Amino acid sequence: MCQAGPVARRGRLVPLFDHNALIVAIARSGDRNAFAKLFDHFAPRVKGLLMKAGTPAELAEEVAQETLLTVWRKAALFDPSKASAGTWISTIARNLRIDIARRETRSRLSQVYEIIDEDGPEQPDMAVWGAERDLRIRAAMTELSPDQYRAVELAFLEGLSHQDVAKQLAIPLGTVKSRLRLAMSHLRGRLEDLR
């Protein structure tokens, strides 16, 4: 049962909410109120910890949001007998940050390979393969939600920065990044064999 306010016990204040119980409530019934309380408590803390570790503020905010979304999706996996809510959430945040660092490294490497490949003349069979690839990409994009499609269109086809996309769509930067991340995840899944 979640406590409604701080309680003094043995000369110290007990936390405003039982965070373990909040996660259990999310797992059992998708309790949005419990999630909001958990989000309000942990999102700024996760962001702060990541920033102290050298993560840029924008990325730290993105990881914090993704961490709490993971808590929402995977609340049923939480076992309070193995770890506290704070420890579990910190582990999720750390793993997400490591995954992002790995993706950034792979992305930088693929950009280098693209630059190297651009130097040579295009072979006829590569031109055909490129046209087929483009058709597959367009088909996969039609499966995106309208919001995701528009974010991808602005960011990748029109070349706008994430901040410019947020301004253009009048939505928060974190929402733009979430839409792009979900869209890219979907596209990767549909186009895995093109790599």
Side-chain angles (χ1 to χ4, degrees), residues 121-160:
E122 186 174 20
Q123 301 298 319
D125 58 337
M126 291 305 289
V128 171
W129 182 83
E132 291 173 0
R133 182 192 65 197
D134 290 347
L135 285 173
R136 295 251 334 264
I137 292 170
R138 285 190 187 106
M141 282 190 61
T142 63
E143 297 172 2
L144 298 175
S145 73
D147 291 336
Q148 291 172 352
Y149 184 93
R150 185 66 178 138
V152 169
E153 183 178 48
L154 291 172
F156 296 103
L157 302 181
E158 295 183 22
L160 297 180

Side-chain angles (χ1 to χ4, degrees), residues 39-157:
F39 190 96
D40 290 345
H41 180 78
F42 281 104
R45 284 165 176 76
V46 168
K47 179 181 177 183
L49 287 171
L50 290 167
M51 288 175 60
K52 282 181 185 176
T55 304
E58 196 173 287
L59 180 57
E61 183 172 338
E62 181 181 339
V63 172
Q65 289 180 6
E66 186 63 31
T67 297
L68 275 294
L69 286 174
T70 301
V71 169
W72 173 263
R73 290 190 302 262
K74 298 187 176 187
L77 300 177
F78 175 66
D79 183 351
S81 69
K82 292 184 179 178
S84 69
T87 301
W88 189 62
I89 291 171
S90 296
T91 302
I92 292 170
R94 181 181 57 82
N95 291 342
L96 286 171
R97 181 60 189 112
I98 290 168
D99 289 346
I100 288 170
R102 286 179 183 152
R103 278 194 303 252
E104 288 171 351
T105 301
R106 280 191 298 246
S107 175
R108 284 191 292 271
L109 284 174
S110 69
Q111 289 171 358
V112 169
Y113 292 138
E114 287 174 13
I115 291 168
I116 292 169
D117 289 344
E118 286 177 1
D119 293 341
E122 186 174 20
Q123 301 298 319
D125 58 337
M126 291 305 289
V128 171
W129 182 83
E132 291 173 0
R133 182 192 65 197
D134 290 347
L135 285 173
R136 295 251 334 264
I137 292 170
R138 285 190 187 106
M141 282 190 61
T142 63
E143 297 172 2
L144 298 175
S145 73
D147 291 336
Q148 291 172 352
Y149 184 93
R150 185 66 178 138
V152 169
E153 183 178 48
L154 291 172
F156 296 103
L157 302 181

Side-chain angles (χ1 to χ4, degrees), residues 6-9 11-15:
V7 178
R9 289 194 186 143
R12 65 184 178 96
L13 285 178
V14 173

Side-chain angles (χ1 to χ4, degrees), residues 58-59 62 104 150-156 158-181 184:
E58 196 173 287
L59 180 57
E62 181 181 339
E104 288 171 351
R150 185 66 178 138
V152 169
E153 183 178 48
L154 291 172
F156 296 103
E158 295 183 22
L160 297 180
S161 70
H162 291 179
Q163 289 179 332
D164 290 338
V165 173
K167 288 177 189 172
Q168 176 100 10
L169 298 177
I171 58 176
L173 180 61
T175 303
V176 169
K177 291 183 176 196
S178 293
R179 287 179 184 174
L180 289 172
R181 188 173 40 258
M184 298 315 288

